[in-house]
């Protein structure tokens, strides 16, 4: 009698906002496909310890693959010590022999593409580069098809976007508004980006997405009737609605944010223009590291 061996599996730790969660998923999805492994999604542990931002899991709004992790697979409290020991032990192992992989340095690590999953692998990190899943781009976009559950306000905006040359602008505040640009992009970036895109796309309509829409609208009021403010982006209940609306635009001016990174990536079509900030930021809002911004996107220096 032949005994069937269990399939290998990748248990991916979800954490961060919706953009980071999608990056986690996309890297894990590709790893399971090339290794004929099962995808297991830990949608609890990463949020149980998020006391500062109090994020929640968003990927149930998409048609993603995989199954939820069991309590034992999560390695969460009261056995969080087990996870920490796995991290420490695996840091001393050769990369291709690890059972717990971390994305510790942010920059694209091509070794993940050749990793062979044997048994159970824990994947912990943001893996913020399309290079981790570019070869299965069609699969990722199919998985990330939005479930049709939008309200009349969102549907009406979608019709406006589809009926014009729509340019998405994402203005994100990480620090309180003012002159502190440690993590916030300076307003001058948006002025230059608008000028740059208008030289290539005249007469476009700008759809503004922001966690502070009123303040952002005041900054861009000089656009007049060509500016449409998406009012609800600062309400987390409508995060997926806004990502869907952004992805329906034709062109994109993104912030130093994985939210608008994914809005542009999901909505990008032949002829789309994506302008991204060419700035190096370290710390919790890290940006500009190698592999993050696709080469085909237009980088704009931030000063």
């Amino acid at each position: 009698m032949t005994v069937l061996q269990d399939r290998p599996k990748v248990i991916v730790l979800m954490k961060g906002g919706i953009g980071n969660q999608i990056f986690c998923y996309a890297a894990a999805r590709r790893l399971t496909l090339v290794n004929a492994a099962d995808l297991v999604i830990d949608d609890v542990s990463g949020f149980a310890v998020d006391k500062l931002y109090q994020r929640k899991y968003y990927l149930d709004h998409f048609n993603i693959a995989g199954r939820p992790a069991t309590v034992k697979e999560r390695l969460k409290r009261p056995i969080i010590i087990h996870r920490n020991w796995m991290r420490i032990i695996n840091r001393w192992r050769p990369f291709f022999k690890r059972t717990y992989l971390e994305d510790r340095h942010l920059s694209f690590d091509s070794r993940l593409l050749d990793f062979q999953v044997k048994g159970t692998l824990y994947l912990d990190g943001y893996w913020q580069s399309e290079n981790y899943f570019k070869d299965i781009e069609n699969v990722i976009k199919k998985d990330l098809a939005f479930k049709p559950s939008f309200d009349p306000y969102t549907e009406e905006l979608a019709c406006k976007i589809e009926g014009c040359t729509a340019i998405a602008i994402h203005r994100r505040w990480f620090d309180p508004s003012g002159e502190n640009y440690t993590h916030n992009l300076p307003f001058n970036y948006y002025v230059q980006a608008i000028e740059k895109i208008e030289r290539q796309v005249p007469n476009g309509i700008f759809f503004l997405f922001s966690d502070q829409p009123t303040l952002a609208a005041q900054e861009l009021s000089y656009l007049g009737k060509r500016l449409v403010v998406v009012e609800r982006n600062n309400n987390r209940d409508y995060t997926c609605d806004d990502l869907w609306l952004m992805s329906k635009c034709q062109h994109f001016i993104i912030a130093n944010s994985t939210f608008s990174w994914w809005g542009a990536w999901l909505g990008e079509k032949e002829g789309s223009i994506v302008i991204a900030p060419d700035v190096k930021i370290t710390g919790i809002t890290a940006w500009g590291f190698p592999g993050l911004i696709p080469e085909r996107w237009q980088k704009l220096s931030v000063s």
Side-chain angles (χ1 to χ4, degrees):
M1 179 178 177
T2 301
V3 178
L4 295 177
Q5 298 294 323
D6 291 337
R7 281 164 54 95
K9 62 183 175 183
V10 176
I11 302 175
V12 56
L13 178 69
M14 290 291 169
K15 57 185 178 179
I18 187 172
N20 287 331
Q21 291 174 42
I22 298 175
F23 270 119
C24 294
Y25 171 80
R29 177 72 158 122
R30 193 260 178 195
L31 199 56
T32 59
L33 284 177
V34 299
N35 284 278
D38 291 330
L39 177 58
V40 180
I41 297 172
D42 181 352
D43 57 0
V44 174
S45 304
F47 305 106
V49 296
D50 183 9
K51 305 302 182 184
L52 178 60
Y53 294 103
Q54 299 181 337
R55 307 285 195 186
K56 66 179 184 179
Y57 180 66
Y58 285 110
L59 299 196
D60 51 5
H61 291 269
F62 303 93
N63 294 295
I64 63 169
R67 65 166 175 83
T70 64
V71 173
K72 184 177 180 180
E73 288 170 330
R74 290 177 198 155
L75 292 182
K76 67 185 290 283
R77 294 171 181 164
I79 51 177
I80 190 66
I81 295 175
H82 188 186
R83 183 185 286 276
N84 290 335
W85 270 111
M86 289 183 69
R87 286 193 183 109
I88 295 170
I89 291 171
N90 276 271
R91 287 173 185 174
W92 291 95
R93 289 177 175 169
F95 184 85
F96 290 105
K97 293 185 180 296
R98 295 176 187 175
T99 57
Y100 195 108
L101 285 183
E102 295 178 89
D103 178 25
R104 298 181 62 194
H105 305 293
L106 292 179
S107 299
F108 172 64
D109 187 344
S110 62
R111 294 178 298 174
L112 187 66
L113 302 181
D114 299 319
F115 194 92
Q116 296 183 11
V117 181
K118 299 176 181 178
T120 298
L121 173 71
Y122 284 88
L123 196 64
D124 182 356
Y126 292 123
W127 314 101
Q128 294 171 332
S129 174
E130 71 166 0
N131 296 327
Y132 290 120
F133 50 85
K134 181 63 176 174
D135 56 348
I136 61 160
E137 176 178 351
N138 292 337
V139 173
I140 297 300
K141 289 189 173 181
K142 182 179 178 180
D143 289 356
L144 295 176
F146 293 85
K147 295 180 180 179
S149 59
F150 303 110
D151 63 14
Y153 173 84
T154 302
E155 295 285 2
E156 182 180 350
L157 271 177
C159 289
K160 288 182 180 180
I161 289 171
E162 291 172 339
C164 67
T165 302
I167 304 167
I169 302 180
H170 187 212
R171 178 65 156 129
R172 174 76 182 273
W173 269 273
F174 296 95
D175 302 315
S177 60
E179 299 303 319
N180 180 4
Y181 294 129
T182 302
H183 302 98
N184 300 339
L185 294 177
F187 174 59
N188 189 50
Y189 161 73
Y190 291 95
V191 173
Q192 292 183 56
I194 290 169
E195 292 176 351
K196 183 178 181 68
I197 211 165
E198 284 192 309
R199 289 195 292 268
Q200 303 170 76
V201 186
N203 303 316
I205 303 298
F206 295 89
F207 288 81
L208 175 62
F209 301 82
S210 178
D211 54 340
Q212 295 192 43
T214 301
L215 185 57
Q218 290 173 355
E219 287 185 332
L220 298 174
S221 60
Y222 72 90
L223 291 171
K225 294 182 179 180
R226 296 175 60 205
L227 181 68
V228 178
V229 182
V230 181
E231 298 284 358
R232 302 188 309 189
N233 188 265
N234 58 333
N235 188 326
R236 291 183 182 177
D237 291 339
Y238 297 103
T239 296
C240 291
D241 300 54
D242 288 349
L243 186 62
W244 179 66
L245 288 171
M246 188 182 293
S247 72
K248 296 183 78 64
C249 294
Q250 298 178 38
H251 308 287
F252 308 87
I253 297 172
I254 72 171
N256 53 323
S257 164
T258 57
F259 181 87
S260 48
W261 189 104
W262 276 105
W265 194 88
L266 290 172
E268 194 176 7
K269 310 165 188 70
E270 184 177 355
S272 289
I273 298 168
V274 182
I275 297 180
D278 188 10
V279 61
K280 179 73 173 179
I281 299 175
T282 58
I284 197 168
T285 61
W287 184 265
F289 46 84
L292 175 65
I293 302 173
E295 291 297 325
R296 63 188 177 278
W297 292 4
Q298 300 181 26
K299 298 180 184 179
L300 186 61
S301 296
V302 175
S303 58

